[in-house]
Amino acid sequence: MKRLVFCLAFAVFISGSAHSSGVTDTKIVLGTVNATSGLAKALGTGMNQGLSAYFDKVNKEGGIHGRTIEVIFKDDGYEPRYTLSNLKEIESKVLAYIGFVGTPTSRTAIKYSERSEMVYFGAFTGANLLRTAETPHVYNVRASYDQETKALVDHFVSTGKKRFGVFFQKDAYGKAGLSGVKKALGSHKLEVLAKGNYRRNSLRVEKAIEKLKQEKLDAIIMIGAYQPCAEAIKKMKSMAEFKGTQFANISFVGTSELINELGDQGNGVIISQVMPSPWTSKLPIVKEYREHIKDYSYVSLEGFVVAKVFAEALRKIGKNIDKQALHQGLSKFKKDIGGLTFDFDNPARQALQKIYLTRIQKGKPVAL
């Protein structure tokens, strides 16, 4: 009799485990861990604003298949050790992870999420480590850093630039961007002539600048967050060694935040983007975003888009949702949403491919 009771209890346990956490008859719970404190706090805040704006809209309209969407937000300060502790806290409460920010933080997170076969969706990073066969439950909305750095290098080379330097963050993010620059330059039979790095969550950029000024550079591509990149640009623009040098950043920098930090020193700085303009795009998805967000930015637009694509996937998958059904549904998901085509059915599980180049002019990002 005791053996029968044990077997029945074990069967109930297994059956309960097969149904994903984070799903009830009335709601779906998602988990977001990103930076809302520290030197990258505007990036996490922006992503969260976009996610919240769209999911609030969904909930006001009655939810998806009768369920509202709830998001548990946690702050990691853009430090991987806090990413991990937050993941452990929320894992049993959520269906999937969404809208994380950063490469070093994602590097830690996906090692953890893959062990439990949890979907890791729409992270704010273009690093290749999220685009491999070893991370099958990671779904990327944005284009990659390789694509961004190629677009920047191709642009500079087309205007006669041949001498390149790289300013980068000393971690997985910086290395991912540096790798992209090297590959892009290699396609033109060029190489990085100088490089300098700084530590994550630090404004100590002087040593990096010292290394960069050893060469006369036409362009410096920057792989960093907005505050240290702004600090470095302002210092270098004041130095004779960098007279005539052009500066470029990839999208992770946070365009609006970089512009604010640079002030009148921003003119001419180029930024690659993975989203259309939040201010001027006529795409229906961007118009919808502007109806629900007051202060526009590329970061909050990306959060809004990530939430909308995830919600559309939930609608398509149907009412019977668990983590396996979510993964299977996303793996073949392809749909035109608001004028953009999102397609995860590729080796990188990356929905978008397009890069938009912008230049700061009078405090605004203007399309090149």
Side-chain angles (χ1 to χ4, degrees), residues 46 49 256 278-279 289-290 292-301:
Q49 287 174 341
S256 297
W279 297 272
Y289 158 81
R290 290 197 291 261
H292 295 89
I293 293 281
K294 292 182 179 180
D295 298 320
Y296 310 150
S297 74
Y298 281 100
V299 181
S300 62
L301 173 59

Side-chain angles (χ1 to χ4, degrees), residues 1 22 25 61 118 137 156 186 201 205 213 222 224 256 354:
M1 182 65 180
D25 290 339
E61 294 171 351
M118 294 276 281
H137 297 84
F156 282 130
N201 281 328
V205 299
K213 79 177 190 179
M222 313 185 82
S256 297
K354 188 172 181 178

Side-chain angles (χ1 to χ4, degrees), residues 99-173:
F100 284 42
V101 169
T103 303
T105 47
S106 287
R107 184 180 185 180
T108 294
I110 61 177
K111 289 179 182 178
Y112 190 80
S113 62
E114 283 296 337
R115 287 202 296 267
S116 55
E117 298 184 340
M118 294 276 281
V119 164
Y120 189 81
F121 188 88
F124 190 78
T125 170
N128 285 340
L129 61 88
L130 284 80
R131 292 161 167 80
T132 71
E134 287 72 41
T135 56
H137 297 84
V138 176
Y139 291 90
N140 305 286
V141 174
R142 57 164 35 229
S144 71
Y145 290 153
D146 278 4
Q147 290 168 306
E148 288 195 66
T149 50
K150 183 180 187 303
L152 290 170
V153 167
D154 288 351
H155 166 73
F156 282 130
V157 171
S158 73
T159 60
K161 305 295 186 289
K162 294 183 179 180
R163 300 182 62 81
F164 287 82
V166 180
F167 172 86
F168 66 102
Q169 190 165 285
K170 191 179 179 181
D171 62 7
Y173 164 46

